Amino acid sequence: MTVKACVLVFPGSNCDRDNVRSWEACTGLKADLVWHKESSLPDYDLVIVPGGFSYGDYLRCGAIARFSPVMAEVVRLAGLGRLILGICNGFQILTEAGLLPGALSRNKNLKYICRDVTLRVENNKTAFTSRYAPGQVLTIPVSHGEGGYSCSPADLAALRDEGRVVFRYCAADGSVSPDDAPNGSLDNIAGILGRRGNVLGLMPHPERLAEEILGGTDGRALFTSILDALSGGPKS
Amino acid sequence: MKFKASVNVMLKPSVLDPQGATLERALKSMGHRNVSSIRVGKLIELTMDCENQEAAAKLADDWADKLLANPNMENYSLTLEKLP
Amino acid sequence: MTDNVSPWLEHGLSEQEYNLVLELLGRTPNYLELALFGVMWSEHCGYKNSKKQLKKLPTKGPQVLQGPGENAGVVYLGDGLAAAFKMESHNHPSAVEPYQGAATGVGGIIRDIFAMGARPVASLNSLRFGDLDDGRVKRLLNGVVAGIGGYGNCMGIPTVGGDLYFHPSYRGNPLVNAFCLGLLQADKIYKGSASGPGNIVMLVGARTGRDGIKGASFASEELSDSDRDKRPNVQVGDPFMEKLLLEATLEILERDLVVGLQDLGAAGLTSSGAEMAGRAGSGLFLDLDKVPMREEGMLDWEIMLSESQERMLLVVEPSKAAAVAEVFEKWDLLAVEAGLVTDDGNFTVRRGERVMASIPAELLTDKVPLYDRPQRVPDYYEKSKKADFSALMCHGDWAGLLKSLLASPNLSSRAWVFEQYDSMVGLNTVVRPGGDGAMLRLPGSDRGLALSSDCNSRYVYLEPRRGAAIAVAEAALNCAVLGARPLALTNCLNFGNPENPEIYWQFVKATDGLAEAAAALDTPVTGGNVSFYNEYDGLAIFPTPTIGMIGVIEHIGNRVPAGFPAGGLNVILIGESREELGASEAHHLLTGRDEGEVPELDLALTKRLINFLVAAAAGRLLRSAHDLAEGGLAVALAECCFPGDMGAAVTLDDGLSAAAALFGESQSRVLATADDASLDAVLDSLERYSLPFSVVGRTTDDGLLTVGHGSDTLRAKVSELKDAWSRALPEAAAL
């Protein structure tokens, strides 16, 4: 079957083309760029909400973008069980839109941080992570000024209990302590799943380390896992 | 004596406020045509120990001028409240 | 305020210049016209004090598609691809408001690049500050770095490198030099010329307010503490607006909808309009009633001189104007028809049908009076050649000195800076910041592009001609150690007040050296910027001719890393080490003094070294290569150990003092490694290129650095050195 994927473009998105390129490099498949003013989308199997600075990140990251016409379609497709992947600013938009719980706030050192970090795979039984091993330590870059995750105690309990914390910031040996979260995230949370398991939001950028020439390929399995899930490919 | 100072920092009227302008466009594009001239500022609250109201006002003004606001681009206003 | 007695004064013109205006124009200019002359004949726009010297620079070569004079230079990279690149200063605005000053500097240079039709793909920035023991300097550093990140990160243009140095001469006048590079198809270069009478002049992007009025003339004055109220309104950058402007502009270029375009930078509509008309030899008029305003009640001259950011002028054929407007509307941007291209050669400002100013464009752009300023050898020049190196010669604790150098402000890790920049967006950054230079992959090509910026201003201060040549050689070597052939350079010439004969002497000598090195290394100068009047309370900065160099490697897979990749490799020191401690970082660290003879520079040897490095990379002979710079061999060895937490055991037998062997800064030297299997081939090649070399030791994986020199030994744990190196800047910069 053909997998239909798209990457949204908001004014100020800047990882939109990167995601198209990385999706193609990892899966050999094309993805459409979809302008945020579209109010009717075909039934995409995968919608990537990319990183960047939608609307300049003015007021709050993602606060304005979530009112774009296309977001109603993203909510509709999520309801149909299609896969929605929000990376960095995309994660922020998905929380503002209510598709994921919690919020992202300023990094604890109040500075923008762009560097490789190590992540631990907390749940590999998802449509996004099946090609990773449980507990596997990944090297993936972060690049954000507002990536500190926070949520209510009730939401946190639910995220933990339902296995919806997918990635945590960790040390190189896989151990997790608060110092390993560059941005001060609650419980070292780097990526979470929505209640139905078809919406993933994460602050790190898997698309940036998915080709050897860029210095690593740990991000690649996220895209190939998605392809497996959508095409009924190999499952572990 | 303890005082609470509230320093309201705003960009000078002639200085561009990209954030305010973007919010204005966003509200308009959501159909709220009656909005105009949004400006975004900062409210800084601090408490201080001082001998009297006058000294506190002078000190807070000095801090606002030297650090809290950049006089090259921002204006500020100050309110002072005596704490029990 | 009008001064009828001396009308030239408030426009920054001299009486002689005013008389020249009268003569050229053949009549008395009105207030607005005189304002236009004032700003176009300022140093910032007209280069009146520098142009004669800049004519010395080599600007041509088969690789150069566009030399100086346009928004940016363009060079051919191969495979149909070209790079548009340029560097510009934003020193004075950054001194006043560091975040916005730096941000708008980045914004301005990005617009220059996409005005050529190129998609910006990488930025560098070259920064200079006073010593960090001053709280004000810390705030400047934090603000400037945050501003560069704030703008570049939002734009989605990776900041892949740059350079940062500290010296007391920059205390009140920091330097913020922003470099941007964009890629384009070599046959699709756009120019900033208003050709085709009857074509429409469109103003697109942001509204116009009283931002930075007289910023161009502000840049042409010295700063002092008493000037606070005279300063123009700070320009505020809106990177979100610029991102929209970038995408909309590239979309109309892609669809062939424009004839020419020009960004609005210093002196706003005045310089952009006059330059567009001047370049095409046609004329144009602007109707101020059509300009979208952000503030009410602005006067004509204020509108013409406003430096509101994120605006561009386009020249569009009438049949395509509607399509252009449609694209800008899609991106929620203003695009108004603000004037027309004419054939009368005049730059005309109107209000509806009323003519407010009309001046032959060439008077503004080509008739700027050019000056040869008087020069005088500065007092310090001969005196500072003598130096007492006893503190260094007799130091003895070489490991301790190495650790102090690595933790010193000028040599410590720059990660605190570049981790605040998005260095990866775009998925092209193959060699990230932190090494000699950065490298990008080129879409649709097997080639790689190297970028580097450099200038050791202590060298330039002590020996301007050689110092500037060293800056070029160093930037070129930074590309060559990666395996890339240096192609061309841009520059930012930061100096004090040119009306001071000693400063002008520095400028003349430095441009001599720049010209000489650029010619010798076959790296033409494709553009740049001059920033004079970098003084604070009467004290000039060190002369700082910053170089931005680009180079190309044929196969990016052949790139060479800077760090030692493994233990057990042969360590080869290429180049000649001499007893040269003058102007060294080590001497400065121990004494606080800037003195001594600047190291010799042999440009012919540098050229051979570059040729060797490019050939060795292509032949996959080397495992690593790193250029020796400030701090000499000892610092270079440590830097090579850091990336892979490796070690090295080295013995030097060079007949020099231990101090000079370890910390001397002899030029044109490279520390390379080769495995046993390729060592003979490397040495053969070095001999063929007539390069001095010695195999000095081996890399190790025990994390120990040992250097033996006669009876002296330097022994240090790499982890301890790295810790000191990593922690220094974050601690020194913390507010």
Side-chain angles (χ1 to χ4, degrees):
Chain A
M1 69 170 267
T2 50
V3 171
K4 291 188 62 173
C6 72
V7 179
L8 305 187
V9 184
F10 296 92
S13 294
N14 66 29
C15 302
D16 42 347
R17 284 182 304 272
D18 291 3
N19 274 286
V20 171
R21 192 170 170 187
S22 206
W23 173 251
E24 185 171 352
C26 296
T27 67
L29 299 176
K30 304 275 182 206
D32 299 335
L33 285 169
V34 169
W35 184 236
H36 75 117
K37 285 179 184 167
E38 296 290 334
S39 53
S40 158
L41 293 188
D43 289 352
Y44 283 107
D45 302 302
L46 170 67
V47 179
I48 299 178
V49 192
F53 289 71
S54 58
Y55 291 95
D57 273 359
Y58 294 137
L59 194 61
R60 291 184 311 279
C61 303
I64 305 177
R66 78 104 159 168
F67 289 103
S68 281
V70 79
M71 285 309 294
E73 284 294 279
V74 174
V75 172
R76 180 181 72 81
L77 292 174
L80 293 177
R82 304 303 162 99
L83 298 186
I84 315 289
L85 170 62
I87 299 171
C88 198
N89 193 225
F91 184 15
Q92 294 161 338
I93 294 170
L94 294 179
T95 60
E96 284 281 345
L99 283 168
L100 291 170
L104 286 309
S105 52
R106 270 185 95 180
N107 295 347
K108 65 182 172 187
N109 71 351
L110 303 181
K111 294 193 188 307
Y112 195 93
I113 301 171
C114 175
R115 61 175 164 88
D116 288 347
V117 300
T118 38
L119 302 178
R120 190 171 74 191
V121 178
E122 303 290 26
N123 181 353
N124 74 333
K125 298 197 165 37
T126 80
F128 302 90
T129 54
S130 59
R131 287 207 180 198
Y132 294 115
Q136 187 178 341
V137 176
L138 313 178
T139 299
I140 307 266
V142 292
S143 188
H144 59 246
E146 306 194 17
Y149 183 77
S150 63
C151 64
S152 70
D155 281 336
L156 181 61
L159 286 172
R160 285 174 172 166
D161 294 348
E162 295 162 19
R164 288 159 54 202
V165 177
V166 180
F167 299 109
R168 277 197 173 86
Y169 300 105
C170 68
D173 64 0
S175 63
V176 168
S177 84
D179 285 347
D180 300 319
N183 45 29
S185 271
L186 178 68
D187 201 21
N188 284 45
I189 287 174
I192 58 169
L193 219 48
R195 192 157 277 137
R196 283 184 60 177
N198 64 326
V199 180
L200 174 71
L202 76 168
M203 286 312 295
H205 285 268
E207 82 279 13
R208 292 190 179 184
L209 275 186
E211 295 175 78
E212 197 58 66
I213 190 171
L214 297 176
T217 55
D218 281 359
R220 195 178 178 86
L222 188 117
F223 296 103
T224 50
S225 295
I226 292 172
L227 184 63
D228 288 350
L230 293 175
S231 60
K235 290 243 164 62
S236 58
Chain B
M1 285 188 279
K2 275 202 185 308
F3 296 91
K4 176 178 162 188
S6 301
V7 186
N8 195 7
V9 181
M10 295 295 292
L11 288 166
K12 287 179 182 171
S14 61
V15 173
L16 172 70
D17 177 9
Q19 181 162 223
T22 303
L23 290 176
E24 187 179 322
R25 284 198 300 275
L27 281 172
K28 283 194 168 130
S29 77
M30 289 159 69
H32 306 294
R33 293 271 147 203
N34 51 344
V35 64
S36 63
S37 36
I38 298 188
R39 307 282 290 175
V40 181
K42 278 179 253 182
L43 177 63
I44 301 163
E45 293 183 337
L46 56 95
T47 54
M48 56 202 294
D49 271 319
C50 248
E51 283 175 16
N52 55 48
Q53 179 108 8
E54 196 186 336
K58 191 163 176 298
L59 203 54
D61 189 65
D62 192 42
W63 295 346
D65 184 57
K66 291 236 168 67
L67 176 66
L68 306 180
N70 179 347
N72 289 307
M73 59 190 296
E74 291 166 332
N75 292 326
Y76 61 88
S77 61
L78 188 67
T79 58
L80 203 63
E81 177 191 342
K82 189 172 176 306
L83 294 176
Chain C
M1 91 187 162
T2 322
D3 183 339
N4 289 326
V5 186
S6 318
W8 54 88
L9 279 181
E10 73 170 291
H11 301 290
L13 295 171
S14 68
E15 186 170 1
Q16 291 86 335
E17 287 168 341
Y18 179 71
N19 288 332
L20 183 60
V21 169
L22 293 182
E23 185 194 321
L24 289 170
L25 204 55
R27 62 181 171 82
T28 307
N30 64 30
Y31 185 90
L32 176 60
E33 287 170 335
L34 196 52
L36 303 186
F37 273 105
V39 71
M40 289 303 291
W41 285 15
S42 71
E43 174 58 39
H44 198 68
C45 293
Y47 293 97
K48 61 187 172 192
N49 295 307
S50 53
K51 212 170 214 165
K52 287 197 169 182
Q53 302 303 327
L54 299 179
K55 286 182 179 156
K56 297 182 296 198
L57 304 178
T59 59
K60 294 190 168 66
Q63 69 273 49
V64 179
L65 302 179
Q66 175 65 57
E70 276 290 335
N71 286 302
V74 182
V75 297
Y76 187 63
L77 302 177
D79 296 330
L81 276 175
F85 68 109
K86 194 183 180 189
M87 179 150 52
E88 232 169 49
S89 62
H90 228 213
N91 305 336
H92 287 179
S94 303
V96 175
E97 212 306 303
Y99 185 99
Q100 294 298 343
T104 51
V106 172
I109 196 70
I110 290 171
R111 281 194 303 286
D112 277 330
I113 298 309
F114 70 79
M116 299 301 293
R119 177 173 280 281
V121 295
S123 294
L124 306 173
N125 50 78
S126 177
L127 310 177
R128 300 290 182 277
F129 294 93
D131 283 339
L132 279 175
D133 51 13
D134 181 334
R136 207 180 114 194
V137 174
K138 287 186 197 192
R139 283 197 295 280
L140 284 174
L141 171 65
N142 278 270
V144 163
V145 170
I148 290 168
Y151 208 101
N153 297 350
C154 184
M155 288 295 295
I157 299 167
T159 303
V160 298
D163 59 297
L164 164 67
Y165 290 95
F166 300 91
H167 188 274
S169 76
Y170 304 107
R171 191 180 69 89
N173 191 127
L175 301 187
V176 176
N177 293 179
F179 168 107
C180 187
L181 178 143
L183 295 177
L184 67 163
Q185 294 300 319
D187 56 357
K188 287 200 75 175
I189 301 175
Y190 280 88
K191 298 194 177 177
S193 61
S195 51
N199 282 341
I200 294 169
V201 179
M202 294 182 89
L203 175 60
V204 301
R207 292 173 183 275
T208 299
R210 286 189 182 84
D211 305 293
I213 285 175
K214 294 202 169 174
S217 37
F218 171 56
S220 304
E221 289 168 15
E222 297 166 31
L223 296 175
S224 88
D225 253 339
S226 56
D227 288 346
R228 235 155 82 150
D229 296 334
K230 277 203 296 186
R231 286 172 180 171
N233 266 333
V234 170
Q235 304 131 282
V236 172
D238 183 352
F240 172 56
M241 173 76 82
E242 177 128 319
K243 170 74 172 160
L244 303 183
L245 190 58
L246 163 70
E247 298 299 341
T249 302
L250 292 180
E251 190 171 330
I252 56 170
L253 296 181
E254 178 73 19
R255 291 170 52 185
D256 278 328
L257 295 176
V258 292
V259 177
L261 68 165
Q262 166 86 33
D263 93 293
L264 270 67
L269 281 169
T270 302
S271 72
S272 301
E275 281 172 19
M276 283 193 101
R279 286 194 196 112
S282 53
L284 66 78
F285 77 80
L286 293 172
D287 181 352
L288 298 188
D289 286 344
K290 303 276 179 60
V291 175
M293 304 304 301
R294 200 179 75 232
E295 295 180 63
E296 287 176 10
M298 280 178 69
L299 303 171
D300 293 350
W301 69 268
E302 291 181 307
I303 299 172
M304 288 305 295
L305 267 50
S306 161
E307 297 189 354
S308 291
Q309 301 289 296
E310 292 94 22
R311 300 179 298 163
M312 309 265 287
L313 274 186
L314 312 177
V315 173
V316 181
E317 289 170 17
S319 62
K320 293 177 174 169
V324 169
E326 204 173 289
V327 171
F328 279 84
E329 194 180 324
K330 169 189 161 189
W331 291 96
D332 290 326
L333 290 170
L334 292 166
V336 301
E337 300 183 10
L340 280 180
V341 179
T342 60
D343 57 7
D344 60 6
N346 287 345
F347 178 50
T348 302
V349 180
R350 292 198 201 165
R351 283 277 190 186
E353 289 304 308
R354 280 185 303 148
V355 172
M356 313 310 292
S358 191
I359 301 170
E362 61 157 1
L363 300 192
L364 295 170
T365 56
D366 296 339
K367 298 292 181 186
V368 186
L370 301 183
Y371 299 117
D372 262 329
R373 295 281 178 192
Q375 308 172 38
R376 185 175 67 233
V377 180
D379 279 346
Y380 72 79
Y381 177 66
E382 283 301 330
K383 278 187 232 160
S384 60
K385 285 183 187 299
K386 287 187 230 37
D388 173 4
F389 298 117
S390 55
L392 184 49
M393 297 289 282
C394 308
H395 193 281
D397 177 11
W398 305 122
L401 180 56
L402 173 59
K403 194 168 162 183
S404 306
L405 268 171
L406 288 167
S408 72
N410 284 340
L411 296 182
S412 56
S413 166
R414 267 58 187 131
W416 179 85
V417 176
F418 63 71
E419 286 182 358
Q420 295 185 54
Y421 305 145
D422 189 337
S423 55
M424 295 176 238
V425 62
L427 303 188
N428 294 319
T429 313
V430 171
V431 177
R432 296 192 200 170
D436 295 294
M439 187 172 280
L440 304 181
R441 62 173 169 177
L442 296 173
S445 167
D446 196 27
R447 290 163 201 256
L449 177 74
L451 308 92
S452 162
S453 68
D454 200 78
C455 180
N456 181 323
S457 63
R458 183 184 297 124
Y459 293 172
V460 186
Y461 169 77
L462 292 171
E463 191 68 78
R465 182 182 175 117
R466 195 185 306 155
I470 287 175
V472 175
E474 172 75 23
L477 269 182
N478 285 341
C479 294
V481 288
L482 293 166
R485 178 171 298 287
L487 263 191
L489 67 89
T490 178
N491 60 67
C492 217
L493 306 175
N494 308 274
F495 288 78
N497 181 348
E499 295 155 46
N500 174 343
E502 299 190 351
I503 300 291
Y504 205 68
W505 176 84
Q506 293 175 340
F507 182 69
V508 171
K509 294 295 175 200
T511 43
D512 283 344
L514 174 51
E516 181 187 27
L521 302 181
D522 192 20
T523 50
V525 180
T526 63
N529 152 252
V530 178
S531 172
F532 281 131
Y533 303 96
N534 289 289
E535 308 202 346
Y536 194 82
D537 285 342
L539 289 175
I541 59 157
F542 269 9
T544 314
T546 308
I547 304 299
M549 182 76 71
I550 69 166
V552 167
I553 185 168
E554 297 287 317
H555 300 283
I556 196 166
N558 292 340
R559 68 190 178 280
V560 180
F564 295 148
L569 301 173
N570 299 286
V571 179
I572 310 160
L573 176 59
I574 307 168
E576 191 177 345
S577 305
R578 303 190 187 90
E579 188 69 30
E580 291 179 314
L581 289 171
S584 66
E585 198 63 39
H587 180 65
H588 179 79
L589 180 76
L590 293 177
T591 64
R593 299 174 68 88
D594 305 297
E595 59 186 12
E597 291 275 3
V598 170
E600 293 294 330
L601 176 68
D602 177 346
L603 284 166
L605 182 136
T606 309
K607 178 73 178 162
R608 295 200 302 279
L609 178 57
I610 289 168
N611 289 340
F612 161 78
L613 289 164
V614 171
R620 292 175 166 269
L621 293 179
L622 299 178
R623 296 293 301 277
S624 71
H626 179 44
D627 159 60
L628 269 63
E630 292 85 8
L633 176 64
V635 165
L637 276 166
E639 288 169 345
C640 288
C641 290
F642 290 158
D645 298 313
M646 305 305 298
V650 166
T651 308
L652 301 173
D653 178 15
D654 48 20
L656 304 178
S657 66
L662 291 167
F663 302 107
E665 297 180 7
S666 294
Q667 293 300 300
S668 311
R669 293 187 298 164
V670 165
L671 196 57
T673 57
D675 46 35
D676 289 340
S678 46
L679 182 63
D680 286 345
V682 171
L683 303 188
D684 282 351
S685 180
L686 284 165
E687 272 164 14
R688 271 202 310 282
Y689 285 95
S690 305
L691 290 167
F693 65 88
S694 65
V695 181
V696 293
R698 281 194 176 260
T699 62
T700 62
D701 41 24
D702 59 4
L704 278 179
L705 177 61
T706 52
V707 187
H709 183 273
S711 58
D712 287 275
T713 305
L714 182 160
R715 185 188 305 274
K717 270 193 182 157
V718 169
S719 59
E720 282 176 18
L721 297 176
K722 190 175 175 180
D723 189 53
W725 174 76
S726 306
R727 282 162 47 156
L729 188 57
E731 285 172 8
L735 290 172

